Amino acid sequence: MPDESVAGIEPEPNASPRLPEPKFLNRSDRRCIESTTMKIVSLNIGLPRDVEWHGQSVTTGIFKSPTASRIRLRKLNLDGDRQADLTVHGGEHKAVYCYPAEHYVYWREKLPGRELPFGSFGENFTTEGLLENSVRIGDRFAIHDAEVVVSQPRLPCYKLGVRFQADDMVKKFLASRRIGFYLAVTREGDVAAGDEMIPVVQNASKISIADFLRLFLAKSFSAADRASLQELYALPSVPNDWKHYFHERVAEAGGAD
């Protein structure tokens, strides 16, 4: 389910369901985006900390820093990494948050003058070659001796605004449709920056992360959307609370699913 209530946030004007081709800032960015290799380019961890926000102290685990160490990936998280509010973050369906390195090009243009080291969006894995349009729910990857499965998109909560000290950051993030995705851990193991994410099962479903987000943002459901939701309901990697959420949305929109 959504980390927080983000319904009603609109995509950018005239936004296409597919992400536009990014503008390249340098040769390194171009090599990263053109690569066909799927891998972890930065492994980021962090423990919850208290941050001042609008005159109040907020505890958040969104601050992550790159590590060169090989880290144990467990069912609920990485060693040395924790989430602050376990009612909406973490758990077996959100053990790892992945964010494409390719998107940093976009954000450096949108947020000029701001330092954006990998891990800035709270991701554990800054990835290469894994974009929302191509990654599908249920896809499985081997990483060194671990194995993971794609479970759901990341929906931002207000703590992304805390991280960037900007009230409008949640809206900008969701409207960009550059949201990243979560992994569940199907086999524990040790992982590190530079590890390839080797496909074990690709195209496990017809529902990409981008499709999932589009369904979440939809104000009504077409026949094709309802067919996609039927497939989503059957996917074991999708948490039951998401399935209940869409059941209720379809019922509210009219007509049984």
Side-chain angles (χ1 to χ4, degrees), residues 108-126:
R108 288 179 190 128
E109 292 184 340
K110 286 289 185 180
L111 304 171
R114 185 185 290 272
E115 289 188 16
L116 290 174
F118 288 147
S120 290
F121 297 93
E123 75 269 20
N124 301 112
F125 294 171
T126 311

Side-chain angles (χ1 to χ4, degrees), residues 188-213:
E188 295 185 350
D190 298 327
V191 297
D195 284 351
E196 286 192 42
M197 296 181 65
I198 300 170
V200 176
V201 177
Q202 251 183 317
N203 299 322
S205 72
K206 294 179 181 177
I207 304 171
S208 69
I209 293 297
D211 293 331
F212 199 124
L213 180 61

